[in-house]
Amino acid sequence: MTSFTFDQFVAFGSDSAGLERILRGLQALTAIFSAYPSLVALALLDADPPILEALGPLRGHLTLTRRFIRFFWFLNSFGTSYNLYTSISSSPSSSGDGSAKRSSRGAGLETWLDIIKFTLLGLYGGLESLTLPDLLGVPQIAYFGAERTRSLNVEAQRFWFLALVFGVFANLTRILKAFAYAPVPQHGHGYGTGEKPVEEKSTVEGDVVTGEKVGGEDDGEEKLDWEAERARLRAIVMKRREGRKRWRREVAFKIKSLGRKIISDLLDCLIPGGILGWVNIQPGTGGIVMLITSVMTSRDIWERCGATVREKRSS
């Protein structure tokens, strides 16, 4: 039987998003080797290896292949934005006369930022897909022409840059909320134990009062069982500690995941920023950034494919 890692890699390579990440990493390597040919010469022990001349055309083919894979992804971005927008509107509720009215539900700032982000990603992907026929080098199907295609692709980079910025702010908002919304401990009787307070009742029937000894005998206050009280307080403290640790683990996992996305988006901002002239970045540096972010953004896809393989093996 094949190993789990092998099956996970097969699932990753068969997934469209995983395959796109692999090709993006290869494209980043071609950019790095083109900018630093000495690395190739050192690896091949050749001062002028012929493969250097193939790096440029290879990078172009990888770019086109990635665009074909992402051809309909802009529809998913627009769909996600639309679903987020409709989710923050209320479901229809009937009024007294039977007419339906809508009451809005509160939406967090990160939701609105995500709506803008996915809308911009849809515009970015849509422009890339729209100009794809002009990049194939077939004059009969070219529509915009070389000059307009180039300008549209630059505008697409502008949308991508803005989408990354809004994504960073959305994830920063989630991190702040993760720290702000700590669990509120219970108070009163049963504090920290999850037990409901017990209401004391006194029912008077004639001369007999519930909770007191029959006949009105007053034996004084009962002695407090300190051992039982200490055990109860110890259980309360332990339960609160466990809840606090569980909350910290959840927050740490969430912060780690969101932090990785923020770093990846910030690094990716350098790529469209360099194309737009907003950031001074060298081609080799852009290739290194692309390689790093390709690895970082592949982790979620890799884990998802691993979960799929694990589910298939267990069934």
Side-chain angles (χ1 to χ4, degrees), residues 77-123:
S77 298
F78 281 133
T80 303
S81 176
Y82 176 77
N83 291 334
L84 285 174
Y85 179 75
T86 55
S87 67
I88 63 177
S89 60
S90 66
S91 57
S93 58
S94 299
S95 59
D97 55 356
S99 61
K101 62 180 180 180
R102 305 180 70 87
S103 60
S104 60
R105 293 181 301 190
L109 175 62
E110 69 278 8
T111 304
W112 290 105
L113 292 174
D114 278 339
I115 291 174
I116 300 174
K117 166 193 168 183
F118 284 109
T119 302
L120 292 170
L121 284 177
L123 293 172

Side-chain angles (χ1 to χ4, degrees), residues 231-303:
R232 187 182 71 86
L233 294 176
R234 191 179 299 112
I236 292 173
V237 172
M238 293 301 296
K239 194 171 185 67
R240 288 192 63 196
R241 285 180 179 176
E242 291 176 1
R244 191 73 178 179
K245 288 180 180 179
R246 183 167 56 253
W247 173 76
R248 286 178 177 175
R249 285 195 299 267
E250 293 174 356
V251 170
F253 177 79
K254 188 173 184 179
I255 297 303
K256 184 178 179 180
S257 177
L258 292 174
R260 186 169 65 245
K261 292 179 180 178
I262 290 174
I263 295 174
S264 174
D265 287 345
L266 286 175
L267 290 175
D268 270 337
C269 284
L270 298 176
I271 300 174
I275 296 175
L276 295 169
W278 296 348
V279 180
N280 186 13
I281 184 174
Q282 300 298 322
T285 307
I288 295 174
V289 168
M290 183 182 292
L291 181 61
I292 294 174
T293 56
S294 297
V295 175
M296 294 179 66
T297 54
S298 297
R299 181 168 181 176
D300 292 337
I301 307 172
W302 178 263
E303 292 176 353

Side-chain angles (χ1 to χ4, degrees), residues 37 40-42 44-54:
V40 181
L42 182 63
L44 299 179
L45 301 178
D46 189 353
D48 188 18
I51 194 175
L52 290 177
E53 299 178 359

